[in-house]
Amino acid sequence: MIHHNPFVSLSLSLSVGDITQKGYEKKRGKLLAPYIPQIQGKQLTRVDPSLQIEHRIQTSSQVAPPGSKQNKPRVANSRDERFRSDLHTEAVQAALAKYKERKMPMPSKRRSVLVQSSVEACTPPDTSSASEDEGSLRRQGRIASSSPYQAHPSVEHWFNRVIQGSSTSSSASSTSSHPGGRPHHATNATSASAATVLADLMAHTQLGHAPPDVTGLSERSVHAERPQVASMRGLPRRYTHTSIMETADGVPVNSRVSSKIQQLLNTLKRPKRPPLREFFVDDFEELLDVQHPDPNQPKPEGGEMRPLSGEPLGVVTNWPPSLMASLQRWGTTQPKSPCLTALDNAGKPVYTLTYGKLWTRSQKLSYTLLNKLSTRNEPLLRPGDRVALVFPNNDPVMFMVAFYGCLLAELVPVPIEVPLTRKDAGSQQVGFLLGSCGVTLALTTDACQKGLPKAQTGEVVTFKGWPRLLWFVTDGKHVVKPPKDWHPPIRDTSNEIAYIEYKTSKEGSTMGITVSHSAMLAHCHALTQACGYTEGEIITNVLDFKRDAGLWHGVLTSVMNRMHVISIPYSLMKVNPLSWIQKVHTYKARVAVVKSRDMHWSLLAQRDQRDISLSSLRMLIVADGANPWSISSCDAFLNVFQARGLRPEVICPCASSSEAMTVAIRRPPEMGVPPPGKAVLSMSGLSYGVIRVDTEEKLSVLTVQDVGQVMPGALVCVIQVEGTPYLCRMDEVGEICMSSNSTGISYYGLPGMTKNVFETIPVTSSGAPISDRPFTRTSLLGFIGPDNLVFVVGKMDGLMVVSGRRHNADDVVATALAVEPMKFVYRGRIAVFSVSVLHDERIVVVAEQRPDGSEEDSFQWMSRVLQAIDSIHQVGVYCLALVPANTLPKAPLGGIHITETKQRFLEGALHPCNVLMCPHTCVTNLPKPRQKQPGTGESCVCVCVGWLLFLLNLANKIYIVCLSGPDFLYMQDVLQWRAQATPDHPLFLLLNAKGTVANTASCVQLHKRAERVAVALMERGRLNTGDHVALVYPPGIDLIATFYGCLYAGCVPVTVRPPHPQNLTTTLPTVKMIVEVTLISECRTCCLPWPSFTSQSTETLAHPCDQSLRNVNLSCVRTCMVVAEERPRNTLTQSFSKIFKDLGLSSRAVSTTFGCRVNVAICLQGTAGPDPTTVYLDMRALRHDRVRLVERGSPHSLPLMESGKILPGVKVIIANTETKGPLGDSHLGEIWVSSPHNATGYYTVYGEEALHADHFSTRLSFGDTQTVWARTGYLGFLRRTELTDASGERHDALYVVGSLDETLELRGMRYHPIDIETSVIRSHKSIAECAVFTWTNLLVVVVELEGSEQEALDLVALVTNVVLEEHYLIVGVVVVVDPGVIPINSRGEKQRMHLRDGFLADQLDPIYVAYNM
């Protein structure tokens, strides 16, 4: 009798997600209540050492009743213990011990984000395991279940020896990441500041050419989350713990944000790699740093391998000619023989399908499909048509009937998973497969059909990407009995397609692998011979019966041999992990087909099962034995169940792939095969693709077990992973290829990929093909060991090639889980994949965080993971993200859907709760920094002169030539003349927000108002000629009238924008400063009454479809000028013209103008000139101050619209900002202007006056040294065109690129903020605005988030990626803020310096601040 321990059942319920953590604690407390007085003070001692996390047993809370054999403490995520390997855990802990405990700047997160993350984390538990293959990662145990290679006397020479120094990754690498390496110390031991503690941090990572560089922290690291201050939004927050620090420039800073940046700076002080060899860098090309191979890297030394043949396929006299013939034989001669037993969720048999029933029910379905389904009197299906099989994982009987019914009808079944929602991970790709296969009919059960999502009509919805399907229920009442004279055609095997099995590729696409009738039969034949199957044997199948080994053993080969299959549903395994062992015992099963996951789960609940015997088993087939980490589950399982009759030689790992089907399997012991093998390999050697035997004392090792011998009748070889399929050497890792009659034949509808995978011809080093038979690539990475045993070390799907070295995703997951997984990772759910950034793969690690994990603990764990992966694998992690529990997309059986996770990461839809980016560590292929060469003066001069203006000089005053009136001396004379000559001519019209006229001013009205202002200034203000008057008005007629009034009175008007009523704290000081600088020091002030702050003059941009614009005609508009002191906004101008085109606005009317503080009118796009031209510049050349024109759409192209025609009397020249020499056409330089209407200087100068005088009066250093120029402070270039204006003059275009003050000097190159900001805004739909600036050589990117705060952390990786890809820059800090935080002035220009000051003073109230390490 089987006794159930209530604590085990309770723990399992929590583990599989049937109850919540809170419910678990409550029920556990009730169970413990009677025993509490008896066991207080006692300590648990009986803990299985192979399943225990070191130093993590919390004795105070993990108590059990006395007498219970299950003393092992259970925690919510103990399922991740299946990754346990004492050897690997010790290696990880030893690696971490080498690092000094150091502090890192922790990300800042707004409290609302913290609360939101914790709420999201408390989601209902799921039914998940750890990877896409339902938890395929296992970690090797210390227990040796088999003799290692060293025990074989016939081991090859290369396999016997241990290569000294095989783990060396680079000649230039530091020894600090290996045992015995000299530890680094902080440069200033006397300083107690966090900055000094962090010094030299980046010197600890070993990355090819890069010295060691990994984040570290101490257990007492500063907790830097945002304090909870009861303050209103918008007001600056005060912090109680600030530290006085100095910047790199020696400026004292009292700010927590700046102290964090200082910490980050100190991590970057040391050079990240030794000096690069010199190589030519063209002015127009930025060459990425080529990673040169390490001269000391291990290289393969063995001889070229020879193809390995399996034993011949035996000849059986009574072997059926096809699988259908076998079914007919058993269905008619042995009708009562059991074929398949299905179990319910309680483990009770619900139905046993006999061979007679399988034969008759399959016939019924076959007849119904061919004869009873029709459209317009035409049969719906014809032989060869594809049919989808949509059956749940707990109904193998209906699936088996449907599968064989299709085969009997000569239809092609395509088994797929049941779609539960319209947004299932990967469901769209499955739909594409069905569409490409031409599937129009889906078979399912009645219960499954009722559970599918329905449309309002009651029909099953059409899932996203799926073709329109007709759903047919295969239950008994829907099929008809065929006539007695009807018999299904039983033909011999052929190369026609028998069925299609789906597979998801590394990129996420779903492909259909076609299997022919002959291949299906040959595979059954080979499996029968390799496994020694006999008639009537009982086999227990835990795997998915729709694909892979579950289909091959439990549905196909079983029928071939009249075997009885006990099918264990996945839902039963979640409730009772021991169920498969109990069924082996109950039915005396001879064979069991499991995954290492199932072996691990059974270990958790085996203590109470006293009367279980596994002595009947002759084969325990481990279907995922090709996974290197499955060895730990095999060893631990054998260690526990050997006392229950399990023999060591019974465990038979196998290797298989969807394309090649079964590749190799360890034979049962009665076949006289050599003993199993085990190898301890150097991970460093494996990363270079070579095999080096290592000792178990080394840190970086991988222990693998063999997967047996090659399948009968197959020919196997190992070829190079990339390029020409050359045979590998004996000590080289490559992709295993197989030539056999039992492999798949193609990817359905993909002839190109089929040729590459299914028709590979391996060649020798001389180029000669090894065989005239085509080989199939298996996507398994491995080698052939001694005794012709096959070893697998990874899969192509998990292969990540970083800087030329190979890393396996499973190995990285195993290392991450060895860093205290019990405390942080939710049920061991970790996804590892690579993304391509800047022409190399970058490793991304995403883990589900336990709901009770704190911010600081999570950050510490993330930092330790980075250290462990760097030390064990010698590779840097680009991004490490933690997401709330149960939020990663799931595969059909509950594992993590890796490709969907990667897609969400790249789209910014992952919604992590913690992110750590480490681009400084990983990105070592940035272009070489620009070295400015001395002597950059150019002799080629380009000067453009506008029309000549006849200037009349009288008393040193400039006269304006007016063609229609007398000569005037001053502007106010013009108004007085107009008031007399055209008094009623309307000059200005002011509209309010409703579009109605609020105020008007004719010539005489403006003149009279100006006179009244002048009288008030002189009489009431008692001002004298030359006094300054502040005009604090919003734009409007009052401002214009007062301006002329000042001119009438002889005063100097100073226009000042009024402070904003909603933002007085930031705008009022600006007004105060202007008033103080221009007025108080020199003159008495005249206080004019301020208008109301709620100005009625607003600018409104409406779409033409607006009701109020129906009758508006804009054809009368001749010129609409866009005024901005920056690069013309191409997109804005085009959009404006397009929107109002329907209202008659001419596209030529909208134009740009350029002016600045030294000259307000430099150029203007008038109607007399040609259309403004747009050129496309190479942004890479622009960073070197070079102008290189490219075609539209070219990579790295930047569209730039000319700023207009140079005005009459204006001369423009492009000058070098440093040498002050003139520049040629192909150079970017500062725009200098010479004109009669140049400004003459600043009224008040603070600091060195000579520097500011240079702005208004400067001369070229050579060439025309006589002309006096004003420096605009803007970078641009001139371009001579062949276009002419209305007068026939040639048109010379001026292009403004950006402000010189705001350019960013990074890595010796000049960047314009607007270019980086444009890239960032384009990277995610929720980024409303962006601004960038630098602080002590760090690039800081501030983005406004227009969306949910939970998207804030998604932006960190996307921003870092796009700036790296498009600008070759590493972002130092990413700040996510609310909309409207980035200050913008009245002209719509970003005030980046104000933003920088606010950030350093910690006044932005950011949602999230990420410090990229």
Side-chain angles (χ1 to χ4, degrees), residues 309-320:
S309 298
E311 71 266 28
L313 203 57
V315 178
V316 183
T317 55
N318 63 343
W319 198 255

Side-chain angles (χ1 to χ4, degrees), residues 304-305 720 724-729 761-771:
E304 188 173 87
M305 75 156 296
Q720 301 280 350
T724 306
Y726 289 111
L727 287 179
C728 288
R729 295 177 179 269
I761 305 293
V763 295
T764 62
S765 56
S766 61
I770 64 170
S771 170

Side-chain angles (χ1 to χ4, degrees), residues 951-960 968-970:
L951 303 178
L952 300 177
N953 194 338
L954 178 63
N956 293 327
K957 300 293 181 182
I958 303 294
Y959 284 84
I960 295 178
F968 298 109
L969 189 63
Y970 299 109

